[in-house]
Amino acid sequence: MQYIKVIFSFINIKEYQQDLFINELADIGFNTFEDTHKGFAAFIDEDSYSHMHLNDVLVQFEDEFEYSYTVTEIEAENWNEEWEKNFEPLIVDDSCYVRATFHEPQPQYQYEIVIDPKMAFGTGHHQTTTMMMQYILDTDVKGQSILDMGCGTGILAILASKKGARELTAIDNDEVCYLSAIENTELNNIDNIIAICGGKEVIPAHNYDIILANINRNILLDQIPVYAEVLKTGGLIFFSGFYEAPDLQMIKDACEAFQINYCDHKKIGDWVAAQFKKA
């Protein structure tokens, strides 16, 4: 399989504008993003790429900032070289060390996660993933049943498993993410994560103690009624992938309709992660 690499360069772009731009690109199939000196590179598999869809996104931002871009094709076998050049180990809250297979282990950290992205979103470096990991580190998940929606590489489910979660279901509607989650589960010697490819329609008829959902506002709003069905009374939901205003209030309103109450939230840059509890 070949991939399309689009390198964007910007003039006078603000952080929140770049985040919004990346979010729109993700909605049309781009699933990996790497910072560059003047902007970022975005990757998508060739079969999913549409110049028309890309142009539709660019039109939305043409009056907000100046940009230029180049489009190139890369072979699948070159993908490892691409991300190895840019993937740096990550330390979250001085207790979780996220590394790739080519980094040396660091046994001084309580939790170590090995991630091979393979074009899937979720190495822990994005603010939303980092905040979700912080919530998991701060939460007693031992013996809990957990649903991870929009699992990407499976990093959140893997961390929860390492913290003692009893059983985990990891779901993503992107086949690359689904396969990546399976591979990363094996890399971390974990046997209690079941990966499923699909959306809300494939969520098992099961009662979960905790739901992790790091996606985006619109998908979260669409899926909250299903989360409410499968979340146990007293269960927790951790959301991320949206902004403080107006997104957080929209999430709160949608949850209140199902007696899922807001507890608190974190913020890094313009991104928010929030904790809710089912009454």
Side-chain angles (χ1 to χ4, degrees):
M1 178 185 294
Q2 288 189 314
Y3 292 95
I4 301 296
K5 177 181 181 180
V6 185
I7 302 175
F8 295 95
S9 298
F10 303 99
I11 299 175
N12 298 325
I13 190 173
K14 297 178 181 178
E15 181 182 1
Y16 81 90
Q17 292 175 321
Q18 179 167 308
D19 288 339
L20 287 171
F21 187 43
I22 288 174
N23 194 53
E24 291 295 327
L25 292 174
D27 284 345
I28 63 170
F30 286 88
N31 49 30
T32 298
F33 303 91
E34 295 177 350
D35 290 331
T36 63
H37 179 63
K38 295 183 179 181
F40 63 85
F43 297 83
I44 185 173
D45 68 86
E46 187 178 42
D47 291 340
S48 301
Y49 176 71
S50 164
H51 182 73
M52 182 176 65
H53 291 161
L54 175 60
N55 189 64
D56 288 342
V57 171
L58 294 173
V59 167
Q60 297 180 47
F61 295 92
E62 61 184 1
D63 296 327
E64 297 192 30
F65 47 78
E66 296 181 50
Y67 64 86
S68 62
Y69 69 95
T70 59
V71 179
T72 58
E73 293 183 358
I74 59 173
E75 298 289 340
E77 57 263 27
N78 294 332
W79 168 237
N80 282 347
E81 179 183 351
E82 290 286 336
W83 69 266
E84 283 181 17
K85 291 187 299 185
N86 296 281
F87 186 88
E88 295 293 335
L90 174 72
I91 300 169
V92 180
D93 289 358
D94 294 324
S95 61
C96 182
Y97 177 69
V98 182
R99 66 175 179 88
T101 50
F102 52 86
H103 295 133
E104 290 296 320
Q106 297 290 340
Q108 67 268 33
Y109 294 100
Q110 186 174 5
Y111 307 105
E112 182 177 82
I113 299 175
V114 183
I115 292 293
D116 185 354
K118 291 290 176 62
M119 297 299 293
F121 182 79
T123 60
H125 291 76
H126 194 271
Q127 298 96 316
T128 59
T129 313
T130 298
M131 289 186 290
M132 293 290 279
M133 294 176 71
Q134 290 173 334
Y135 267 128
I136 294 170
L137 290 169
D138 290 340
T139 303
D140 182 7
V141 301
K142 189 173 183 179
Q144 303 292 289
S145 175
I146 297 179
L147 171 65
D148 180 7
M149 289 298 296
C151 65
T153 60
I155 188 171
L156 300 181
I158 290 169
L159 176 57
S161 177
K162 286 179 176 285
K163 283 204 66 191
R166 174 172 49 89
E167 57 181 2
L168 304 101
T169 303
I171 296 176
D172 203 294
N173 64 1
D174 187 316
E175 185 177 7
V176 173
C177 294
Y178 158 70
L179 295 174
S180 178
I182 292 175
E183 180 176 342
N184 290 319
T185 296
E186 294 172 351
L187 278 176
N188 289 273
N189 299 312
I190 290 173
D191 60 7
N192 64 343
I193 297 176
I194 297 174
I196 304 174
C197 188
K200 64 181 181 181
E201 73 283 352
V202 302
I203 296 176
H206 183 77
N207 290 324
Y208 293 97
D209 299 295
I210 296 173
I211 295 176
L212 310 170
N214 180 17
I215 313 178
N216 65 52
R217 184 196 69 190
N218 291 338
I219 293 178
L220 293 176
L221 291 173
D222 175 66
Q223 295 188 353
I224 282 172
V226 183
Y227 300 160
E229 290 181 10
V230 299
L231 184 65
K232 292 181 181 178
T233 299
L236 299 174
I237 298 185
F238 298 98
F239 292 120
S240 195
F242 52 90
Y243 301 102
E244 189 166 33
D247 298 354
L248 181 56
Q249 188 58 52
M250 296 173 70
I251 300 291
K252 287 180 181 180
D253 293 342
C255 285
E256 285 176 4
F258 299 95
Q259 295 187 308
I260 298 173
N261 302 317
Y262 166 82
C263 299
D264 56 60
H265 73 274
K266 303 176 183 289
K267 185 178 180 183
I268 300 179
D270 294 310
W271 294 99
V272 165
Q275 177 179 191
F276 288 75
K277 184 174 184 178
K278 186 175 182 180

